[in-house]
Amino acid sequence: MKLSLLLMLLGSLVTVFAIPTTKVTWCLKSDQEEQKCLALKAKFPVFGCVKRENSKDCIKAIHAGEADAITLDGGDIYVAGLKNYDLHPIIAEDYGTSSETCYYAVAVVKKTTTFGIKDLKGKKSCHTGLGKSAGWNIPIGTLLSKKILEWTGPEDKTIESAVSEFFSASCAPGAPVGSKLCQLCQVDCSRSHKEPYYDYEGAFLCLKEDAGEVAFVKHLTVPDAEKDEYELLCKDNTRASIDSYKTCHLAKVPAHAVVTRKDPQLGKKIWDSVNAVQNSSTVPMGFDLFSSDAFSGKNLMFKDSTKNLVEIPENTDSFLYLGAEYMSILRSLSKGSSSDTSSVGINWCAVGHAEKNKCDTWSINSVTDEGAQIECSNTQSVEDCIKKIMRNEADAMALDGGQLYTAGKCGLVPVMLEQYNEGMCRKKPEYTSYYAVAVVKKSSGLTWDTLKGKKSCHTGIGRTAGWNIPMGHVYNQTKDCDFSKFFPKGCAPGSSPDSSFCAQCVGSKNPVGEKHKCKASAEELYYGYAGAFRCLVEGNGDVAFIKHTTVLENSDGNGPDWAAGVSSADYQLICPGKHAVGVNEFASCNLAKVPAHAVVTRPEIHDKVVNILQKQEAKFGNSGSDPNFKMFQSSDGKNLLFKDSTKCLQQIPPEKTYEQVLGPGYMNAMFSLRQCDTAPDLEKSCTFHACQQKI
């Protein structure tokens, strides 16, 4: 009996300690951290320990391959993600129900004082460290945004100089020794645990010992036993209790995260290793990653308030992890403003070669005495364009509903809507829409009930009429997320190259070599509305999921060369529970009425984008004054930059959210479809934690 119990215990330990055998070398910044790492290594020999002076030196060591991982705060994650280091976050700290993978940046003061946040000028300040999130980036960014701290930009003085002039004295570990920002520090003002006033507990100690009058820390810093002696400064100049951090904080910011080199195998090795250790904490031979008491320190290797470690979605870089709002704050600290408003025009993001050509023509024609009103960026996918807009590397583009859903999840906002009814262009803006339809050849005799097992043609993965709406119907019908069981072959541009939904795609039909097959751009001939219909016309599919005007735009003498002999009478619409009908009967036989395409941008340049597009439409719209270019016509393809059926653009009020533009019906359809884990990688990264979107 004893032997069997021993074998069971050994078996459980083997399961708990099932970690890689190759080394995972952690980078440490203090003697205490090194002691903790060595204790971890003694129990889990897979770990190695390398000590450096500070976070920056650790980042350099990981980039050089001298170490593999370190846990960093948001400000350092930003530095680690810069091109010269190119590290990325793979594991996030989870702080439990109080904030999960986010935390609150707060300003703590003693209850015996009476000043508010607007009265901080001339006070003594305690910071966790120069460039750290809760201790520097967020509070200084907040003071700038509220114009409590005046700074005209780096041309006049550095932000550090502006802060040192604002506070009478400070301890901001990492600042130049001898400066006012180091005046309150106890030892060497280093950004390491050698400085007693470094990090959260250090900044709080600075306040507790009356060295400073305000401490910028995270919401869990003040010990429970001491909460009654302190208060929070709120952004409205009031005060609140320490436990009121959810309503009285400076910002909600992303949790600390483990960063490493962009190597999927290394990332998996690190996750498997630390996950095994955190799962071992209740076992006698285990190790508690989230306790530093035994090593005479606080927050060593990980924050002591961590409850759990969470794997970050694949392909999440530093920018996507930190989120657009936090990145905007970082830009404000380096440039003096949260957005680049100095440029005369806006930068449009084009997908693929054909769109870039049209955009370049637009740009040339948009030049005024002030310069080009439209500049152009180019990528190979809509997701990459959304990233560019988030990063301030581009400003705007038009998206369909499914893409708008993803962009909205990533913090972008809709600013103008395509209007397809000319009569509505001169009226008060109303949200226009179109019908998503399923088209088949009349000769096929197909109905919705006989569609299973046939070949399908889609405008693109994640597109409204071409994927989200029809596959939502399929899922509701089958409750099966494996859509290849319903459509064994098809063309859905943007699918994985080895997917059955790439089998029927043709790329650019280049006889020399086909690198564009199944790409979500105009280089794939079956991409978009006209492309999906062409897929049906040319016999590569049995059904095309498109919008209600597509057939008429590409038949009966309309459309490009491939549509020359196409007759609309040869095609029909099918829909659930009905017989096939003519292509003109879309109002009675459709899969859904869906929102129009919308132009998206970053929230801070909403008005600028609207203003420039209105002026551009006055010149280059359907009735524009300049005949040299037309925004809503495409000569080298279909629906480039905008849908060719667009009659005008109508402004969306700033208060209207992407959810309101899409409407409850569409939002419900997307929610159902997301049960199948169909979200693109970008959307998964943007929704990993709530603080990425609004803080």
Side-chain angles (χ1 to χ4, degrees):
M1 184 71 176
K2 289 182 179 179
L3 178 61
S4 62
L5 286 172
L6 178 61
L7 290 173
M8 287 175 62
L9 177 59
L10 288 173
S12 66
L13 290 177
V14 168
T15 301
V16 167
F17 301 154
I19 56 180
T21 55
T22 50
K23 288 282 185 186
V24 171
T25 303
W26 216 267
C27 195
L28 302 319
K29 301 177 292 182
S30 67
D31 292 339
Q32 299 102 308
E33 277 201 330
E34 188 175 31
Q35 290 171 16
K36 182 173 180 178
C37 183
L38 291 172
L40 172 64
K41 179 182 177 182
K43 291 192 175 184
F44 294 86
V46 67
F47 287 95
C49 309
V50 167
K51 184 168 169 283
R52 293 290 186 269
E53 283 298 308
N54 50 49
S55 298
K56 187 78 169 286
D57 287 346
C58 276
I59 291 169
K60 291 177 180 177
I62 295 170
H63 175 69
E66 298 164 0
D68 296 321
I70 185 175
T71 309
L72 298 175
D73 105 310
D76 289 328
I77 291 171
Y78 168 74
V79 173
L82 297 175
K83 288 183 180 179
N84 45 332
Y85 303 120
D86 206 27
L87 307 185
H88 72 145
I90 57 168
I91 301 166
E93 293 181 343
D94 183 334
Y95 309 121
T97 55
S98 69
S99 57
E100 297 177 331
T101 57
C102 306
Y103 63 93
Y104 295 90
V106 295
V108 179
V109 293
K110 287 192 172 180
K111 193 177 282 188
T112 52
T113 59
T114 58
F115 57 85
I117 195 169
K118 292 181 180 179
D119 308 310
L120 284 180
K121 185 174 176 63
K123 299 294 188 291
K124 294 179 292 183
S125 60
C126 305
H127 307 261
T128 59
L130 195 71
K132 292 179 76 71
S133 295
W136 184 266
N137 295 339
I138 296 301
I140 304 308
T142 300
L143 294 175
L144 284 172
S145 67
K146 290 191 155 298
K147 301 192 184 310
I148 298 170
L149 167 60
E150 297 289 341
W151 182 48
T152 56
E155 298 81 9
D156 178 36
K157 65 183 74 166
T158 65
I159 184 62
E160 291 84 2
S161 296
V163 174
S164 66
E165 292 172 9
F166 180 80
F167 293 112
S168 62
S170 304
C171 178
V177 177
S179 71
K180 282 179 66 179
L181 292 178
C182 284
Q183 190 172 327
L184 302 181
C185 294
Q186 290 291 289
V187 179
D188 61 357
C189 195
S190 66
R191 208 164 172 269
S192 73
H193 290 97
K194 289 188 293 184
E195 168 54 58
Y197 288 171
Y198 169 68
D199 210 358
Y200 302 106
E201 275 66 27
F204 176 63
L205 184 63
C206 168
L207 172 67
K208 183 177 179 178
E209 294 182 346
D210 289 321
E213 298 167 276
V214 59
F216 299 111
V217 292
K218 68 182 176 73
H219 69 289
L220 297 171
T221 303
V222 181
D224 289 343
E226 301 176 52
K227 286 180 178 179
D228 288 344
E229 302 173 39
Y230 297 90
E231 288 182 320
L232 301 177
L233 298 184
C234 309
K235 287 192 285 188
D236 63 359
N237 210 42
T238 62
R239 290 187 175 207
S241 67
I242 294 296
D243 287 329
S244 299
Y245 55 82
K246 288 189 177 180
T247 55
C248 177
H249 57 262
L250 304 182
K252 193 176 182 184
V253 295
H256 289 204
V258 177
V259 303
T260 188
R261 296 180 293 283
K262 291 183 178 177
D263 178 344
Q265 289 184 324
L266 175 60
K268 185 179 187 307
K269 181 172 70 172
I270 295 169
W271 166 250
D272 289 345
S273 301
V274 297
N275 192 40
V277 177
Q278 75 168 344
N279 289 339
S280 78
S281 60
T282 58
V283 177
M285 290 176 60
F287 189 90
D288 188 353
L289 285 173
F290 315 132
S291 176
S292 304
D293 292 341
F295 309 100
S296 304
K298 290 284 189 180
N299 303 311
L300 304 178
M301 297 183 67
F302 297 93
K303 287 200 322 200
D304 296 341
S305 55
T306 305
K307 304 298 183 187
N308 186 34
L309 294 175
V310 181
E311 194 170 16
I312 295 170
E314 259 189 290
N315 302 316
T316 303
D317 61 15
S318 296
F319 180 89
L320 291 175
Y321 180 75
L322 295 173
E325 294 285 342
Y326 186 79
M327 293 298 291
S328 179
I329 289 173
L330 291 177
R331 283 195 293 270
S332 76
L333 294 178
S334 61
K335 297 181 181 178
S337 65
S338 61
S339 64
D340 180 13
T341 56
S342 59
S343 173
V344 171
I346 57 173
N347 191 308
W348 201 266
C349 197
V351 179
H353 181 70
E355 283 207 340
K356 179 63 163 56
N357 284 345
K358 180 177 177 179
C359 190
D360 286 342
T361 304
W362 185 10
S363 178
I364 291 168
N365 283 278
S366 76
V367 174
T368 66
D369 292 340
E370 296 178 314
Q373 301 297 298
I374 301 295
E375 296 175 345
C376 304
S377 291
N378 183 231
T379 69
Q380 293 305 307
S381 72
V382 170
E383 279 196 28
D384 286 341
C385 266
I386 293 173
K387 289 179 186 177
K388 273 186 171 288
I389 297 170
M390 292 170 66
R391 289 189 175 102
N392 204 19
E393 296 169 359
D395 294 322
M397 73 181 305
L399 299 176
D400 106 312
Q403 298 159 341
L404 172 59
Y405 181 87
T406 296
K409 290 290 185 183
C410 290
L412 301 187
V413 296
V415 293
M416 299 199 86
L417 207 64
E418 293 181 348
Q419 174 59 260
Y420 312 123
N421 183 337
E422 193 160 4
M424 300 300 296
C425 288
R426 289 171 293 279
K427 296 182 179 179
K428 182 180 177 181
E430 291 185 19
Y431 292 162
T432 187
S433 58
Y434 62 94
Y435 293 96
V437 297
V439 180
V440 297
K441 289 181 178 178
K442 185 182 291 187
S443 58
S444 70
L446 284 172
T447 66
W448 186 269
D449 294 334
T450 60
L451 210 51
K452 186 176 181 180
K454 300 299 185 287
K455 295 175 292 185
S456 55
C457 302
H458 307 262
T459 59
I461 288 288
R463 298 287 296 269
T464 298
W467 185 266
N468 295 339
I469 297 301
M471 300 321 246
H473 276 283
V474 170
Y475 174 74
N476 289 334
Q477 183 176 321
T478 64
K479 301 302 179 188
D480 191 338
C481 291
D482 185 355
F483 297 129
S484 65
K485 291 179 183 177
F486 197 88
F487 294 120
K489 283 186 178 182
C491 178
S495 299
S496 171
D498 57 358
S499 165
S500 62
F501 284 103
C502 279
Q504 301 304 104
C505 295
V506 294
S508 59
K509 292 188 177 180
N510 189 336
V512 178
E514 194 44 76
K515 62 179 181 179
H516 298 296
K517 182 174 180 178
C518 206
K519 297 291 185 185
S521 71
E523 277 68 47
E524 164 58 63
L525 297 180
Y526 289 170
Y527 174 69
Y529 301 108
F533 181 49
R534 182 175 181 177
C535 168
L536 172 66
V537 169
E538 295 181 350
N540 278 349
D542 301 305
V543 59
F545 298 110
I546 49 182
K547 72 183 181 81
H548 69 282
T549 61
T550 304
V551 175
L552 297 178
E553 290 167 354
N554 295 275
S555 62
D556 305 331
N558 299 315
D561 292 343
W562 65 263
V566 177
S567 171
S568 62
D570 294 334
Y571 295 87
Q572 290 183 312
L573 304 181
I574 60 172
C575 50
K578 292 186 178 182
H579 296 294
V581 300
V583 294
N584 283 311
E585 298 181 52
F586 49 81
S588 64
C589 183
N590 60 75
L591 304 183
K593 193 175 184 180
V594 295
H597 291 202
V599 175
V600 300
T601 189
R602 296 180 302 283
E604 66 266 22
I605 57 171
H606 177 287
D607 293 346
K608 178 181 179 180
V609 172
V610 169
N611 182 49
I612 288 178
L613 284 180
Q614 287 176 337
K615 291 177 180 176
Q616 290 298 293
E617 189 180 352
K619 287 182 68 177
F620 305 122
N622 289 346
S623 57
S625 59
D626 192 328
N628 294 314
F629 176 76
K630 293 298 178 185
M631 291 169 62
F632 312 133
Q633 292 179 17
S634 305
S635 58
D636 188 23
K638 293 288 289 184
N639 303 310
L640 302 178
L641 305 182
F642 302 96
K643 276 167 61 175
D644 295 343
S645 55
T646 303
K647 306 304 180 187
C648 66
L649 298 176
Q650 293 184 306
Q651 180 180 354
I652 299 171
E655 64 273 12
K656 292 290 184 182
T657 64
Y658 78 95
E659 295 101 330
Q660 291 172 313
V661 171
L662 291 174
Y666 193 87
M667 291 298 294
N668 290 336
M670 290 301 295
F671 177 79
S672 297
L673 198 58
R674 288 299 185 256
Q675 305 309 302
C676 291
D677 192 28
T678 57
D681 288 345
L682 174 61
E683 188 178 314
K684 290 177 182 177
S685 295
C686 287
T687 55
F688 175 63
H689 49 209
C691 48
Q692 289 163 306
Q693 295 171 58
K694 284 192 179 294
I695 58 176

